[in-house]
Amino acid sequence: GLDEDSSGVIASGSGSVIQYNKIQADKYGVDILEDNITVSTNNITSKNYSIYSKKSRKGYTDINAVNNTLIGSIYNTGDMTINGNTIKSSNSKEGGALYNTGSVILSNNEIIQNTAPDSVINNKKGKLVASNNIFKYNDPASFAIENNTIVMKDEGKFIPTDAKVSIYENGTLVKSTTM
């Protein structure tokens, strides 16, 4: 077995690409320790964070997570692009799918069955630009219909701007709006 402090892969070389791996770890699936790292087309399972990018002050820059299947949330304090991933079945203390204090572009992801006491996306003092993401079966739910209006339920300061939000039930469109 793995000890509770184990990391699957430690990415410490600028320009590194972690690709086509099956990574399983208790603490961090991929532990980012340098700028300019790409994590692409992996299956990563972690009890804590599938991708962990934390550095004092400004954080790491040019971090890219592309086309991965992630079980375990993402922790970011720098500049990160998260595109085309499935982030699922995470259970985290802060941000069920994403905890961010840096700058994130979040696009074309499926965010499914994640839970956290605070929010699925916890954008704490960070900048988040989100587009074309699908949220399913998360707790707390990111969006809900109240009084025939779609409202944001996630309290993690995840605020889409001019975003189209659609709610489906059993594959059928129930309501759609722009927020």
Side-chain angles (χ1 to χ4, degrees), residues 12-61:
S12 59
S14 182
S16 293
V17 176
I18 293 93
Q19 190 171 33
Y20 304 123
N21 296 286
K22 183 175 183 178
I23 301 168
Q24 188 167 2
D26 277 354
K27 193 170 185 181
Y28 311 135
V30 176
D31 190 0
I32 306 286
L33 300 178
E34 186 61 68
D35 296 331
N36 189 21
I37 303 286
T38 298
V39 180
S40 173
T41 322
N42 298 286
N43 284 316
I44 304 171
T45 301
S46 175
K47 290 181 182 175
N48 290 306
Y49 298 103
S50 57
I51 299 175
Y52 186 79
S53 178
K54 180 180 179 182
K55 177 182 172 187
S56 297
R57 299 187 189 201
K58 292 188 345 180
Y60 296 110
T61 60

Side-chain angles (χ1 to χ4, degrees), residues 55-124:
K55 177 182 172 187
S56 297
R57 299 187 189 201
K58 292 188 345 180
Y60 296 110
T61 60
D62 197 22
I63 307 301
N64 298 289
V66 184
N67 298 328
N68 298 287
T69 298
L70 307 172
I71 299 175
S73 61
I74 296 173
Y75 190 104
N76 177 61
T77 63
D79 296 325
M80 184 180 286
T81 299
I82 303 168
N83 183 40
N85 300 281
T86 299
I87 306 169
K88 65 181 185 177
S89 304
S90 301
N91 185 353
S92 184
K93 293 178 186 176
E94 296 178 301
L98 171 65
Y99 178 83
N100 177 51
T101 62
S103 178
V104 168
I105 298 172
L106 183 72
S107 57
N108 305 306
N109 299 286
E110 287 193 7
I111 300 167
I112 305 168
Q113 293 180 323
N114 298 288
T115 59
D118 59 356
S119 59
V120 173
I121 305 291
N122 188 335
N123 190 43
K124 186 176 183 176

Side-chain angles (χ1 to χ4, degrees), residues 118-123 135 138 140-143 151-159:
D118 59 356
S119 59
V120 173
I121 305 291
N122 188 335
N123 190 43
F135 293 80
N138 295 296
S142 298
F143 303 94
V151 295
M152 178 174 263
K153 300 298 283 186
D154 199 313
E155 297 178 7
K157 299 179 185 169
F158 163 59
I159 302 169

